[in-house]
Structures are given as structure tokens and as C-alpha cells.
Amino acid sequence: MEAIECIKTRRSVRRYTDEPVTTEEIKEIIDIARMAPTWKNTQTIRYVVVQDKSIIETIEQDCLLGFEHNAKTMSQCNAVVILAQVNGRCGYEKDGSFTTSKGAGWEMFDAGIAAQTFCLAAHDRGIGSVIMGIFDDEKVAKAIELPEGQSVAAIITIGKPKFAPDPTPRKEVDELVRFI
């Protein structure tokens, strides 16, 4: 699939078939996603792939802050990818001071780039995904036994799409841009 077609046709997929996403498919997607740029090439993003249904159920029931829409999506997925980040490196100098006025916020910028790259790579491989942001960071970290010094940036559910969702309306270019 060409890059522009992939960007234009990728949708958030919330309904999946029962067909499993294989470990090899997930590794291929991560192999592509690892090429996402990071602050000073710090490569702080980590992927925790949860295939164990009991852990997925724990996250679904105990970690989504009661957001039923995400719980329903998670109950149907084949796997959950926890996008984690190594803390205290992205946006920082070696002495611990911030290089950027964004402070620790740059860590989430890199996580966002990684999440989008992961989802585009999945779409290219025929695998649907949706990025979730409503969850209890500490409970998710505990459920997956996230190593100390890392934090949860996002949850991405994946699976073979039941159907291709319709495109959602987008603002026109003139509403989004200002030339100076």
C-alpha cells in the first residue's frame, strides 16, 4: 500500500473478527513502528503485547475508568498493545535538565508519533487498531508488571477488522492552515 493511501484509508477499528493476529504479524508491525523518529534518537518507546485473555479482561474491567465504549472494544480485540515509554530521557539533557520548553510533555509527542506509526503499519498489514487514552495509568502498569522507570502512554487494541469503518468528516484545508 502506498503511504498516502495508507494515511487516507486508516480508520479507528473497534470491532474485530475472531481471527487471531499472530505473534509474527505483531513483530512485523513493531519492526516498522520502531522506525518512528524520537527526540535525539532516544528510542524510548516500548511495546507490551498482551495476548493473555485474563490480563486483557483485568484491564478491561479494572483499568478503563468506567469508560464502557473502550471496555466493549477491548472485549472484542485479539490483543492489546500497551505503548510504554522510558521516563526521563525524551526532551532532557544528560544532566536531567529540559532541552525543550515542553518539559516532560515531549515524551507524549514521541509516544504519539510511535502510536500513529504502529497503527499505520498495522493497517498496511490488514490489521485494525484503535488508540485509547482513557485509563488509569498506574492500574494498567500494575496489571502488565511494567518495569520501574517506564510509564503507560497509550493502549492500542488490535484485531482483524469486522468491516471497514466509513470515513469521518474532516475540516477543509483552509480551516486548518494560516500562511504568514
Side-chain angles (χ1 to χ4, degrees):
M1 179 181 306
E2 294 292 323
I4 293 172
E5 177 189 357
C6 190
I7 293 166
K8 287 187 171 188
T9 60
R10 191 256 166 205
R11 305 281 178 266
S12 291
V13 175
R14 293 177 174 86
R15 297 184 69 198
Y16 308 101
T17 69
D18 291 332
E19 184 182 349
V21 178
T22 67
T23 298
E24 191 56 41
E25 288 173 310
I26 297 169
K27 284 182 175 182
E28 287 176 15
I29 293 165
I30 293 170
D31 185 47
I32 296 164
R34 71 187 177 88
M35 297 301 174
T38 58
W39 176 271
K40 294 186 176 184
N41 197 31
T42 50
Q43 301 182 44
T44 58
I45 301 303
R46 302 294 182 266
Y47 303 87
V48 179
V49 180
V50 183
Q51 297 171 307
D52 182 315
K53 292 294 183 187
S54 66
I55 296 173
I56 292 172
E57 190 173 286
T58 296
I59 296 168
E60 172 194 335
Q61 293 176 1
D62 300 336
C63 304
L64 300 181
L65 301 172
F67 191 56
E68 291 300 317
H69 191 59
N70 281 355
K72 183 177 178 183
T73 299
M74 193 169 287
S75 72
Q76 299 176 33
C77 74
N78 301 128
V80 174
V81 178
I82 308 299
L83 190 72
Q85 58 196 16
V86 176
N87 300 322
R89 286 195 209 154
C90 179
Y92 296 83
E93 290 299 318
K94 289 183 181 181
D95 66 4
S97 65
F98 293 119
T99 303
T100 172
S101 63
K102 302 290 183 207
W106 201 268
E107 292 175 332
M108 283 304 290
F109 189 83
D110 276 4
I113 295 169
Q116 178 69 349
T117 304
F118 179 94
C119 291
L120 288 170
H123 176 56
D124 182 70
R125 298 290 191 264
I127 296 169
S129 62
V130 65
I131 302 167
M132 298 181 175
I134 301 174
F135 53 86
D136 183 310
D137 300 45
E138 290 179 18
K139 285 184 178 180
V140 174
K142 183 177 178 182
I144 63 169
E145 299 178 5
L146 193 65
E148 190 173 325
Q150 293 184 23
S151 59
V152 178
I155 295 174
I156 304 171
T157 61
I158 61 173
K160 304 289 173 91
K162 249 188 190 172
F163 60 90
D166 292 330
T168 55
R170 297 290 186 209
K171 293 180 180 181
E172 294 298 322
V173 171
D174 288 339
E175 292 179 69
L176 303 172
V177 66
R178 184 172 75 110
F179 291 96
I180 300 174

